[in-house]
């Protein structure tokens, strides 16, 4: 195919078969506490009983005290049999199901971020999950969905707070009320939404009462738009601090799954900052726990995230504590950004406005384009065969981006969302809900190959999600004679007329009138040499 997607050289392959189990990470040293017990008893000799009491207290805190119950200790087969209850469960295969967030350019001139952000003004009063392992639902529904909705509507979060039981009773992994996946929670909130706590009270004694049809119907009036995983490209093992901050700066909370130990429990009562201590620092005997990130401050404790917990107001500082960026990256296993909600229904009437540029990887400069009429553009001068480039989009309203290419036989193919070999569903669907300058795709680039001397590419920008596979079929079924005609023919049921211009630096600019089904097609012809 003339324009193709190729991996960037620096991208490293990710081992998706490294399943860390249901509650922790093999790399976190979570398999060794019981195996180390004889050695530790030998070291402590007569004081070994004290060590046992400390470990027992930690286990009690996770499994049954008012406010715990959300840690799978992941400390070997014996521990799994004796202490099978869990709350947040980590499985990389579940995390891998989520689409990858294509972040904004890390450029302080184009995308400056505030030094500090806090969404606590949108958060409900801190609650207590009790003896039930429902931290995934507390962090996702009670905390994140409430914050998201309060930020969009301006309503008092304590009057609209969402029910953890409505969500948890749909997503629990077993009948013992002790565990779930964050991915499952996100999917449920996208499909079945949420209902107020006042309509679906929480109890830590029952998880078997699933919502009835009436409750589900009510919940679907409060769905989230979508979510993405906040990783460095396709690497499951690298959480992106920048991506978390980008969401928080747009009033969008982030739900995390984190490995925690003794110092995160009783030691955190009344404390403002979590500092890993003792066995936590060696990552032995940690348990999984889901929480909601509500803010960040680049100055506080050298740079930290603000975390809202569900272990009562007595934990931390009124149920909230700070975690330094470095510790966040070390102990957080999953991070899910929830798409921000529009601040009002007026968003549907906002114009669709974008600047689109093609950035040469080698020179970091725009490949200059010139208008050839209507919605078609051409390179101002030929590009070299093998030129690799990315697309930069600056959007001021939420939109989706798709890219289609023309094959040598005239047929159309999907360039973006990008499918890696063996994938049937793309992890790279681009929803620009976090507005700003975005350079994508991460980890891959578009490349001009050595077939022929002219290539064509179409960029489709849409206010609503498009079934890109069906759209590509419509392009190929069109009777129009050229690629631009086929694109415009396929888009006629979505499109509005747009005036597109080439800017002085060679980018493309358009702004079109409001319509809920707006979509704009931009066709680019590349001369190659």
């Amino acid at each position: 195919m003339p324009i193709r997607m190729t991996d960037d050289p620096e991208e490293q392959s990710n081992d998706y078969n490294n399943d860390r189990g249901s509650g922790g990470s093999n790399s976190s040293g979570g398999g060794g506490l019981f195996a180390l017990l004889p050695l530790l008893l030998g070291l402590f000799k007569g004081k070994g009983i004290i060590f046992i009491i400390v470990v027992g207290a930690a286990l009690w805190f996770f499994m049954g005290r008012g406010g715990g119950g959300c840690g799978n200790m992941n400390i070997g087969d014996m521990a799994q049999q004796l202490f099978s209850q869990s709350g947040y469960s980590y499985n990389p295969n579940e995390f891998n199901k989520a689409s990858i967030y294509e972040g904004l350019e890390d450029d302080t001139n184009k995308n400056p971020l505030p030094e500090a952000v806090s969404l606590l003004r949108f958060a409900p009063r801190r609650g207590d999950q009790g003896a039930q392992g429902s931290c995934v639902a507390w962090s996702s529904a009670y905390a994140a969905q409430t914050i998201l909705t309060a930020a969009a509507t301006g309503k008092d979060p304590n009057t609209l707070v969402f029910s953890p039981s409505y969500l948890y009773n749909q997503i629990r992994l077993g009948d013992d009320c002790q565990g779930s996946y964050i991915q499952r929670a996100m999917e449920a909130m996208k499909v079945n939404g949420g209902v107020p706590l006042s309509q679906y009270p929480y109890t830590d004694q029952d998880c078997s009462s699933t919502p009835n049809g009436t409750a589900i119907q009510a919940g679907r009036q409060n769905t989230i738009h979508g979510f993405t995983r906040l990783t460095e490209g396709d690497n499951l093992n690298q959480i992106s601090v920048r991506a978390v901050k980008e969401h928080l700066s747009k009033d969008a909370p982030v739900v995390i799954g984190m490995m925690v130990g003794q110092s995160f429990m009783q030691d955190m009562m009344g404390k403002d900052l979590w500092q890993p201590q003792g066995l936590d620092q060696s990552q032995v005997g940690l348990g999984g726990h889901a929480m909601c990130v509500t803010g960040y401050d680049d100055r506080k404790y050298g740079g930290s995230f603000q975390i809202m917990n569900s272990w009562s107001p007595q934990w931390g500082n009124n149920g909230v504590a700070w975690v330094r960026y470095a510790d966040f990256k070390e102990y957080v296993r999953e991070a899910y950004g929830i798409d921000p909600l529009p601040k009002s229904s007026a968003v549907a009437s906002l114009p669709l406005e974008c600047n689109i540029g093609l950035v040469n990887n080698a020179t970091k400069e725009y490949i200059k384009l010139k208008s050839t009429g209507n919605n078609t553009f051409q390179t101002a001068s030929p590009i070299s065969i093998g030129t690799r480039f990315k697309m930069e989009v600056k959007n001021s309203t939420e939109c989706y981006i798709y890219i289609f290419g023309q094959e040598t036989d005239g047929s159309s193919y999907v360039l973006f969302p990008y499918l890696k070999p063996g994938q049937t569903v793309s992890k790279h669907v681009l929803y620009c809900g976090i507005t700003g300058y975005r350079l994508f795709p991460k980890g891959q680039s578009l490349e001009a190959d050595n077939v022929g001397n002219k290539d064509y590419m179409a960029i489709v920008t849409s206010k609503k999600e498009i079934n890109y596979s069906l759209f590509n079929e419509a392009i190929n079924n069109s009777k129009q004679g050229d690629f631009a005609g086929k694109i415009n023919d396929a888009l006629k049921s979505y499109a509005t007329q747009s005036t597109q211009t080439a800017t002085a630096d060679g980018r493309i600019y358009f702004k079109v009138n409001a319509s809920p089904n707006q979509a704009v097609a931009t066709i680019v012809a590349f001369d190659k040499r």
Side-chain angles (χ1 to χ4, degrees), residues 179-249:
S180 192
Y181 300 126
I182 301 176
Q183 166 72 18
R184 185 176 290 197
M186 295 291 129
E187 290 288 358
M189 291 195 300
K190 186 175 179 181
V191 176
N192 291 333
V195 298
L197 180 62
S198 59
Q199 296 178 17
Y200 207 105
Y202 176 75
T203 172
D204 65 357
Q205 300 301 309
D206 173 49
C207 66
S208 61
S209 302
T210 55
N212 59 27
T214 301
I216 293 293
Q217 185 175 7
R220 287 177 177 171
Q221 305 306 307
N222 303 301
T223 57
I224 64 171
H225 176 275
F227 62 94
T228 49
R229 60 177 166 95
L230 308 185
T231 54
E232 297 288 354
D234 208 7
N235 192 332
L236 291 179
N237 301 315
Q238 291 189 21
I239 302 300
S240 171
V241 167
R242 168 83 189 192
V244 175
K245 293 168 70 173
E246 286 175 7
H247 278 74
L248 296 170
S249 69

Side-chain angles (χ1 to χ4, degrees), residues 414-428 468:
V414 179
L415 257 172
F416 191 91
Y418 173 55
L419 280 173
K420 281 194 168 184
Q423 288 182 339
T424 56
V425 178
S426 177
K427 296 293 189 297
H428 298 267
Y468 54 88

Side-chain angles (χ1 to χ4, degrees), residues 4 51 91 93 100 124 187 205 227 234 262 378 395 401 433 473 476 502:
R4 64 185 187 274
F51 176 80
N91 186 321
N93 295 323
I100 300 166
E187 290 288 358
Q205 300 301 309
F227 62 94
D234 208 7
Q262 174 63 28
Q378 184 171 337
N395 64 308
I401 305 292
E473 288 182 18
N476 287 321

Side-chain angles (χ1 to χ4, degrees), residues 346-404:
V347 72
S349 63
L350 291 175
L352 182 57
E353 183 177 11
C354 282
N355 282 86
I356 298 174
L358 306 178
V359 180
N360 187 311
N361 287 11
T363 65
K364 308 302 180 186
E365 296 177 348
Y366 295 118
I367 298 173
K368 289 193 175 182
L369 304 173
K370 60 182 180 181
S371 175
T372 53
N374 297 323
N375 60 338
T376 60
F377 295 80
Q378 184 171 337
T379 48
S381 58
I383 64 173
S384 300
I385 288 171
T387 296
R388 305 181 75 246
F389 60 94
K390 294 180 185 287
M391 181 171 295
E392 181 189 79
V393 174
K394 178 186 182 296
N395 64 308
S396 53
T397 52
E398 295 84 356
C399 62
Y400 291 87
I401 305 292
Y402 307 91
I403 309 174
F404 302 88

